[in-house]
Amino acid sequence: MRNILFRARHVNNGSLMANKWVNGDLCHFSDGIPFIRERKTGYCFEVVPETVGQLTGMKDSKENPIFEGDILRDLDGGLRYVSYDEEGGKFVEVYHCFKTRIDTKILEFLEVSGNIHDNPELVGLK
């Protein structure tokens, strides 16, 4: 069975978890506000909708899980980020303004180097 997991930034509500990354199951309150329910604790955290990213099921060269929105660095220092292509129903890498299927054969040469929410300048998004 696939491990379907989401990650998002907790809203800035003044709590100890404010602006921290949480992961678990993506759910929605009855009013549509998204929250993440941690699997181990069962705690629910309201999250910033724009920061929600799904686990791709792939790992980088250091065995770090890769999430939608992660920035990947190659051996030459080239950067790309992971996005979800709604039309194609698949995760893609966005590299210099073009999208391509993530080539799992080269993942052993890529390393997670941040994400588009904390480091948008790395991939020209800010």
Side-chain angles (χ1 to χ4, degrees):
M1 188 163 147
R2 290 181 300 141
N3 182 21
I4 300 174
L5 185 72
F6 290 86
R7 173 184 73 184
R9 182 179 286 141
H10 187 281
V11 295
N12 186 1
N13 62 357
S15 74
L16 291 175
M17 289 297 293
N19 291 320
K20 301 237 188 266
W21 289 95
V22 293
N23 62 49
D25 298 311
L26 178 63
C27 305
H28 292 83
F29 291 111
S30 60
D31 58 4
I33 294 174
F35 66 94
I36 296 277
R37 185 185 62 79
E38 281 189 333
R39 292 181 177 173
K40 288 183 181 176
T41 65
Y43 292 136
C44 295
F45 300 98
E46 183 180 342
V47 296
V48 178
E50 297 79 26
T51 66
V52 173
Q54 185 177 351
L55 180 68
T56 65
M58 296 176 268
K59 294 185 177 184
D60 72 359
S61 62
K62 295 188 175 182
E63 294 296 308
N64 295 311
I66 300 172
F67 282 85
E68 176 183 1
D70 277 346
I71 297 172
L72 304 174
R73 182 182 308 271
D74 62 31
L75 294 174
D76 296 327
L79 297 168
R80 73 266 333 233
Y81 66 94
V82 179
S83 183
Y84 186 75
D85 178 18
E86 292 282 340
E87 284 183 28
K90 61 186 172 198
F91 291 102
V92 296
E93 59 179 304
V94 180
Y95 186 70
H96 292 293
C97 299
F98 68 88
K99 294 179 185 178
T100 184
R101 178 181 60 81
I102 295 177
D103 185 349
T104 55
K105 294 175 186 158
I106 67 165
L107 287 176
E108 63 187 75
F109 303 107
L110 299 175
E111 182 179 334
V112 173
S113 295
N115 65 68
I116 61 171
H117 309 290
D118 291 337
N119 317 99
E121 70 284 351
L122 292 178
V123 288
L125 292 176
K126 193 167 191 181

